[in-house]
Amino acid sequence: MAWLVGTLPAAQRFGQDRGLPSQTIEALALDERGFLWVGTLDGLVRFDSHRFLPVDLGYGRALADPKITRLLSLPGAVYIATPRGLHRFDQHSETLAPVRAGSQDAVGIVGLAREPEGGMVAATDAGLLYRWRENGSVPELEPVALRLSAPLPQITTLAAGREALWLGTTRGVYRVDRATGRTELLRLDLPEISHGEVHVSAVIEDAKGELWIGFWLDGLARYQPERRQVRRLLPGMEAAGALRSTSIYRFLPDGEGMLVGTNRGLVRYQRDCDCFRGLNSPDWDRLEGRGVIVSDLALEPGGAVWAGSWGTGLVRFSNVERVIERQVPVDGRADALAHPMITALRAEPDGRLWIGSYGGGLQFAPAASRRAGEFWPLTALPWGERRVESRFIWALDRTDGDLRIGTGHGLLSWSDRDARLRDVDAGVASVRSLLDLGQGTRLVGTMFGLYREHDGRLDRIALTAPGELPTAAQAIWSLARWDDEIWAGSGGGLWCLGEDLEVRARVEVGTEAGQLPGPVVWTQKSDTQGRRWLGTSGGLVEARREGDTWQFLRHARAPDAGSQSVGSIEFDAAGRLWLGTPRGLVRYDPASGERRLFTTRDGLVGDQLNSNASTSDGERLYFGGSGGVIAFDPGAIPAPDVSLHPQVTQWRLGQGPWEPPRDLILAHDHPSLHIELSAHYFEHPDQVRYAYRWIPGESEFTELGDARSAVFSRLPDGRHRLELRASLADDAGASTVATVFQVEVLPAWHQAWWARAAMLLGLASLAYAVFAVRSRQIRHRAQALAREVRERTRELSAAKEALELANAQLQRQAGTDPLTGLDNRRRLFEVAVQWHAQGRSLGVALIDLDHFKRINDEHGHHTGDAVLVDFANLLRGAFGDSVCHARYGGEEFLVLAESDLGALPDRAERLLLRVRESRVVSALGGSLPYTASIGIAFSAPGETVESLIRRADRALYRAKQAGRDCCRVA
């Protein structure tokens, strides 16, 4: 396994490189349609999980002040505050309008809130309050009369409680009686900060009526109005937990808890433990939040949290990140992780957690210091003047009361009795696994073979299977004792040893039940039911004894994370396995086969989890990898949020401007219609797959895959509804269908009823005039013409039949290969152009007969022709009549399909099987076998037929390189 250390990725981070107009976020809001609204220092955007769509507040002209100060989302509308005024965005018409108090703009709004009875309220920094109600149209602001006994300081924030409004100011919190407007200063029993008459930067009333007050530079206070009790919290206090800042900028209720944005990151108050836990990205933790000012917060229905910050952009924390704790190196702290690459973990019965890293030596954290959601202070073992390589920790094991430590250079022992680190064998290199055999004897697995250690002496154990010659030394990655056997997992399979360490058998790599799927056995673990599990480079394996032999059952679906390798295994109380892989953490249920992949988007420090770097203390599981350590209670992991909301986010005609979604009326000859799509699935937007159909014209969905846009060149006349289906690539049950667009296409002018009526009237008048003038002549010639018509009709009918017969024969000859009877290249491209113009998804199988020139040279062209005819018959039989099969040139054939594309690779394999079984009589006597190679490609949206065939040709070339007689898909 490769050991890579890079930057620590946050769950999901967005900055100007992703489309934000500014790194400084001022306000956030989630609307009813699923858009995330982001107000920045330099403009407003809506995020649909794929794109940041700009919102123009200039009403078609330059915007005087692009800074957004507050956002408030309501059913049907979003209210947007800037320093110059308040605006209303109508969700149905997608239009913006200014909101005023009479003719006056509401300048300097610092707070927007929704009152319990449904009204809205706004506050300005100058001490003005406004009320209004949302009724589906642009409201007028009504000033709120305040009854003051003294001038009001500058307002900084606003909150609406059940009985009163709360104003945060530069000199404390003021209570505004909702009914009378009486405004009074809230005096708190906090003499150390002038009874609360200091700068207040955040205030909110929670569901229990408790008032949360965030001060600028003076910490946080919780006030209970009924009891008039106040509790102040500062960093370092026992109850403050992960709170590490004295400046509070934003509150957001979160169920029974409270999210708190500070100038050193984000914390969440949990009522069940009456504590504050951190909810930060690893980059924030590495700096202990220094420079991270959380300016606003938004909460998704599924529990994910959006945090906007000043200068560092936008971050999304999934609901899993509430559970997963991370420990990373912290700049300037000696008691933090010494190195970000964690290579060994061990939880002890006394509660200590030992953490070994790649270059940072060995550290431990007692149970009491591992408080959930907080920084763990670590104690490092004194390493002395030992070699640098000895600080690479690979294996840990408790034996005879001492901790054995396998390092990159040397086997060490730590004694708790005298707190000393001793060298057991300072010369042994790269110890990767340890196993205590009792009675002072241990097995030591290294990169260079297996050793037995007794009384500080190491003796090498030769690993040679019965009846085989001695092999070169192999790396021993894992050791385990099972009943009367010892299993040594190596880089070349599994060695089974007896009690006397003699080799009983070797399990090699292969596809049979008694073989392993991968050569490296990284780890070996048994669950509470006694089942034995092996993590190998080829996947997860369950070892089962059947009689005197072992069977190795492959759980092929378990990793499914882009890498088959399983480096570490832990178990939870529900019997599920947690697998550390190079691509993330996998939860696997062997009973149901259900699996779930967790990555950095879900709170992991890094996607790479290292082999044997995992442990459990009975409550939490611990995994180490690139970036640091993660810890979590597996029973607390929430179910994934798979709610999908398919929508059209914007559209345009031809090269025109992008427009917001609305019902359309299009001309008969309208330009191409471009639409962009989203399912508003922020969790893993790259996993969303789209399909559409037009109702009533289409019954089946057209698949778009992961394409997030579609182009329609010409829609038929009439009314049409666009149905969009969104589903997840790794979850067949997560699928949502919605009507997202309605279009009416007008008929051409000559097809309108009035045009048809006018034409009918004109034709009738003309016909009558001609009839009146010519009626007499027609009567005289009627009989003669009738006789002539009958005669000519007979002649023309005979000529027409002959001509149609000749044309049909010529058409067949022009489009048919004379030797094989298949379509020729000309006919193939006619069909391809026709299908492509109809917007169909195409699949191409390009086939080449292997070594055909050798057949012609050695057996003659007559035999070569027989091979071509035989293959053409097999081709028709394998693909049927639903495709176009043609001789593309020489020994090359091409199959063009426009339906059931998913079956194309299977049909190709069936064709190869029939070709292998076929024989052709050679002109030289005897039967002649032959083979073929196939390249397959599927069209991408907007791709030309020529480009599609070129990709199929490249896939055919790969099939040739792979040894011929096989199929490859582009």
Side-chain angles (χ1 to χ4, degrees):
M1 301 178 71
W3 312 103
L4 303 173
V5 180
T7 59
L8 301 176
Q12 289 173 269
R13 301 189 66 174
F14 306 90
Q16 288 177 291
D17 58 329
R18 298 288 300 275
L20 279 176
S22 170
Q23 294 283 106
T24 298
I25 310 299
E26 296 281 353
L28 299 174
L30 280 160
D31 68 21
E32 60 182 352
R33 295 173 55 192
F35 283 100
L36 175 73
W37 291 70
V38 185
T40 77
L41 192 64
D42 193 27
L44 177 65
V45 291
R46 291 185 298 167
F47 186 47
D48 67 357
S49 77
H50 299 301
R51 321 166 188 83
F52 287 96
L53 307 174
V55 179
D56 181 15
L57 296 183
Y59 311 107
R61 59 185 184 275
L63 185 62
D65 191 343
K67 178 181 178 181
I68 310 300
T69 57
R70 290 291 185 271
L71 292 168
L72 177 63
S73 176
L74 303 171
V78 176
Y79 286 86
I80 306 152
T82 74
R84 298 296 183 91
L86 183 64
H87 311 265
R88 180 184 182 274
F89 181 89
D90 189 284
Q91 293 276 49
H92 305 295
S93 64
E94 294 262 334
T95 56
L96 271 163
V99 183
R100 297 186 172 97
S103 61
Q104 299 296 317
D105 288 322
V107 176
I109 289 178
V110 293
L112 295 173
R114 187 175 185 179
E115 298 187 275
E117 77 282 1
M120 269 58 68
V121 62
T124 73
D125 54 6
L128 300 178
L129 267 66
Y130 300 98
R131 277 200 174 98
W132 75 96
R133 286 190 173 274
E134 170 60 34
N135 56 10
S137 61
V138 180
E140 182 169 332
L141 302 180
E142 300 178 0
V144 177
L146 301 180
R147 295 173 55 191
L148 297 166
S149 59
L152 191 66
Q154 180 181 338
I155 298 177
T156 58
T157 186
L158 163 72
R162 288 178 292 182
E163 299 178 356
L165 299 176
W166 301 98
L167 303 179
T169 77
T170 55
R171 295 300 302 273
V173 176
Y174 284 75
R175 182 185 186 276
V176 180
D177 186 274
R178 183 174 286 108
T180 65
R182 183 177 180 181
T183 305
E184 297 179 314
L185 174 65
L186 179 66
R187 289 185 61 82
L188 303 174
D189 187 17
L190 297 173
E192 66 274 19
I193 55 171
S194 303
H195 298 281
E197 293 186 50
V198 292
H199 191 123
V200 174
S201 48
V203 63
I204 198 167
E205 184 180 307
D206 65 20
K208 295 184 178 296
E210 187 174 22
L211 191 66
W212 292 67
I213 305 169
F215 299 107
W216 185 58
L217 299 179
D218 290 300
L220 180 154
R222 295 166 57 190
Y223 175 69
Q224 295 180 342
E226 293 181 358
R227 300 179 182 177
R228 296 183 178 273
Q229 293 180 347
V230 65
R231 181 185 182 190
R232 186 183 178 209
L233 294 168
L234 291 170
M237 292 182 175
E238 179 68 20
L243 181 67
R244 54 195 178 196
S245 172
T246 58
S247 291
I248 311 300
Y249 282 82
R250 193 69 72 230
F251 293 119
L252 181 64
D254 179 16
E256 290 293 314
M258 181 69 70
L259 293 165
V260 183
T262 78
N263 71 344
R264 292 189 66 179
L266 178 62
V267 295
R268 181 179 185 271
Y269 171 75
Q270 295 189 191
R271 199 171 294 276
D272 56 355
C273 63
D274 191 29
C275 64
F276 288 85
R277 294 184 176 179
L279 185 60
N280 295 289
S281 75
D283 281 340
W284 295 0
D285 282 333
R286 185 177 60 188
L287 301 172
E288 288 194 292
R290 290 186 294 272
V292 180
I293 301 175
V294 177
S295 54
D296 205 2
L297 300 164
L299 185 65
E300 294 180 28
V305 178
W306 291 90
S309 65
W310 288 349
T312 55
L314 182 66
V315 178
R316 179 183 183 273
F317 299 98
S318 73
N319 58 0
V320 177
E321 291 192 77
R322 300 169 182 267
V323 179
I324 293 182
E325 307 167 44
R326 297 177 291 242
Q327 298 296 317
V328 301
V330 177
D331 293 352
R333 290 201 63 154
D335 58 348
L337 278 182
H339 195 280
M341 180 64 74
I342 306 305
T343 51
L345 293 171
R346 179 179 175 84
E348 299 272 60
D350 63 3
R352 279 182 298 180
L353 176 69
W354 293 90
I355 304 173
S357 62
Y358 187 71
L362 187 61
Q363 300 169 284
F364 70 87
S369 68
R370 298 199 307 276
R371 298 180 60 178
E374 298 184 29
F375 172 80
W376 300 347
L378 303 178
T379 301
L381 296 191
W383 224 253
E385 300 298 324
R386 292 178 175 83
R387 294 178 51 156
V388 172
E389 293 87 348
S390 69
R391 294 179 178 270
F392 301 161
I393 311 302
W394 296 107
L396 300 170
D397 189 44
R398 180 69 66 174
T399 175
D400 296 335
D402 291 343
L403 184 69
R404 283 293 196 273
I405 307 166
T407 77
H409 195 281
L411 178 62
L412 310 179
S413 176
W414 169 261
S415 173
D416 292 323
R417 294 182 297 273
D418 55 7
R420 288 187 59 189
L421 186 66
R422 295 179 173 86
D423 294 314
V424 177
D425 188 312
V428 62
S430 199
V431 176
R432 296 305 173 104
S433 55
L434 297 167
L435 178 64
D436 183 18
L437 299 180
Q439 298 180 348
T441 302
R442 284 153 293 277
L443 289 180
V444 181
T446 75
M447 285 292 292
F448 309 103
L450 180 63
Y451 294 83
R452 174 172 53 193
E453 184 240 323
H454 186 76
D455 292 337
R457 175 182 174 182
L458 268 67
D459 297 313
R460 183 164 182 167
I461 299 173
L463 296 178
T464 303
E468 295 183 0
L469 296 175
T471 59
Q474 297 180 356
I476 306 300
W477 292 97
S478 62
L479 291 166
R481 189 168 194 166
W482 308 110
D483 300 330
D484 61 342
E485 287 188 332
I486 296 171
W487 288 6
S490 72
L494 182 68
W495 297 88
C496 300
L497 311 178
E499 290 285 353
D500 296 328
L501 304 182
E502 78 282 3
V503 176
R504 294 182 177 178
R506 179 188 179 190
V507 183
E508 298 183 339
V509 179
T511 59
E512 302 298 329
Q515 296 178 319
L516 297 173
V520 183
V521 181
W522 298 112
T523 187
Q524 307 176 50
K525 291 283 183 73
S526 65
D527 59 23
T528 56
Q529 302 178 30
R531 293 178 297 185
R532 305 180 185 181
W533 299 92
L534 308 181
T536 77
S537 56
L540 179 66
V541 175
E542 180 184 356
R544 294 180 180 176
R545 184 188 290 274
E546 295 184 6
D548 294 333
T549 62
W550 284 96
Q551 301 297 319
F552 295 93
L553 176 64
R554 307 178 188 198
H555 290 249
R557 293 186 62 207
D560 197 22
S563 171
Q564 288 296 312
S565 183
V566 175
S568 55
I569 301 173
E570 297 298 331
F571 309 95
D572 63 23
R576 295 171 300 195
L577 282 73
W578 293 80
L579 311 174
T581 79
R583 295 293 182 269
L585 180 65
V586 177
R587 185 181 69 186
Y588 174 61
D589 188 343
S592 64
E594 178 187 359
R595 72 200 186 283
R596 182 178 175 188
L597 173 65
F598 300 87
T599 66
T600 53
R601 286 179 175 266
D602 304 295
L604 272 64
V605 181
D607 287 340
Q608 175 180 309
L609 299 177
N610 293 332
S611 61
N612 279 313
S614 69
T615 189
S616 171
D617 62 8
E619 296 180 0
R620 290 185 285 187
L621 303 183
Y622 302 83
F623 286 85
S626 60
V629 178
I630 61 170
F632 58 93
D633 176 1
I637 297 291
D641 179 16
V642 293
S643 56
L644 303 173
H645 306 282
Q647 292 182 24
V648 170
T649 58
Q650 57 184 2
W651 62 271
R652 70 178 179 183
L653 291 176
Q655 297 301 312
W658 289 104
E659 300 283 349
R662 57 180 172 84
D663 294 347
L664 291 180
I665 298 179
L666 302 178
H668 173 76
D669 56 348
H670 65 84
S672 58
L673 174 63
H674 299 240
I675 62 173
E676 292 194 342
L677 315 170
S678 176
H680 297 280
Y681 185 63
F682 299 110
E683 194 76 17
H684 290 282
D686 55 307
Q687 294 182 3
V688 180
R689 301 295 180 264
Y690 298 97
Y692 72 87
R693 66 180 176 186
W694 288 101
I695 302 298
E698 300 172 351
S699 59
E700 300 295 328
F701 282 93
T702 299
E703 299 291 341
L704 291 173
D706 58 359
R708 302 186 294 271
S709 61
V711 180
F712 305 101
S713 57
R714 184 64 60 86
L715 294 174
D717 298 346
R719 295 179 181 273
H720 309 279
R721 302 190 319 273
L722 180 62
E723 284 192 351
L724 181 63
R725 185 184 70 201
S727 56
L728 295 182
D730 62 348
D731 190 340
S735 180
T736 302
V737 177
T739 298
V740 297
F741 212 48
Q742 298 196 55
V743 177
E744 180 181 359
V745 181
L746 301 176
W749 70 266
H750 59 272
Q751 295 176 324
W753 68 269
W754 55 267
R756 293 184 177 184
M759 286 189 288
L760 286 174
L761 181 60
L763 288 173
S765 300
L766 179 62
Y768 179 79
V770 172
F771 176 77
V773 175
R774 302 281 296 175
S775 59
R776 184 176 297 178
Q777 296 175 353
I778 292 174
R779 283 196 299 270
H780 287 304
R781 299 182 58 186
Q783 292 181 349
L785 288 174
R787 289 193 299 270
E788 184 177 354
V789 166
R790 286 195 295 269
E791 181 179 351
R792 291 295 181 93
T793 299
R794 287 194 297 270
E795 293 174 358
L796 290 173
S797 297
K800 178 183 177 183
E801 291 176 359
L803 183 60
E804 289 177 346
L805 182 63
N807 284 339
Q809 184 175 2
L810 287 174
Q811 187 69 22
R812 287 193 299 272
Q813 290 176 353
T816 305
D817 178 67
L819 176 63
T820 62
L822 300 176
D823 292 341
N824 61 16
R825 188 187 187 104
R826 173 184 175 184
R827 174 59 180 161
L828 167 71
F829 277 94
E830 290 176 352
V831 173
V833 170
Q834 178 183 357
W835 288 355
H836 185 268
Q838 294 171 353
R840 303 185 186 184
S841 297
L842 303 180
V844 165
L846 187 59
I847 310 163
D848 184 81
L849 301 184
D850 299 331
H851 305 300
F852 183 77
K853 183 176 183 304
R854 185 186 302 168
I855 294 176
N856 274 337
D857 294 342
E858 295 179 3
H859 297 271
H861 289 278
H862 180 74
T863 302
D865 290 347
V867 170
L868 295 173
V869 171
D870 180 74
F871 178 78
N873 293 331
L874 297 177
L875 183 64
R876 277 189 288 262
F879 286 90
D881 297 327
S882 62
V883 303
C884 177
H885 18 50
R887 184 178 178 189
Y888 193 61
E891 66 273 22
E892 282 191 334
F893 296 80
L894 191 143
V895 174
L896 179 67
E898 54 84 29
S899 63
D900 198 17
L901 301 184
L904 198 58
D906 292 337
R907 292 181 179 178
E909 292 294 344
R910 185 162 62 245
L911 172 62
L912 292 178
L913 178 62
R914 293 181 179 178
V915 170
R916 297 185 195 107
E917 297 173 350
S918 180
R919 298 293 185 274
V920 176
V921 177
S922 171
L924 303 180
S927 61
L928 175 66
Y930 66 98
T931 60
S933 301
I934 302 177
I936 294 176
F938 299 97
S939 66
E943 185 178 22
T944 64
V945 174
E946 291 78 10
S947 173
L948 176 62
I949 294 177
R950 284 195 297 271
R951 291 197 296 108
D953 187 58
R954 290 194 292 270
L956 172 62
Y957 180 73
R958 287 170 38 222
K960 292 288 188 180
Q961 285 186 319
R964 296 182 171 86
D965 192 21
C966 63
C967 175
R968 291 295 182 268
V969 178

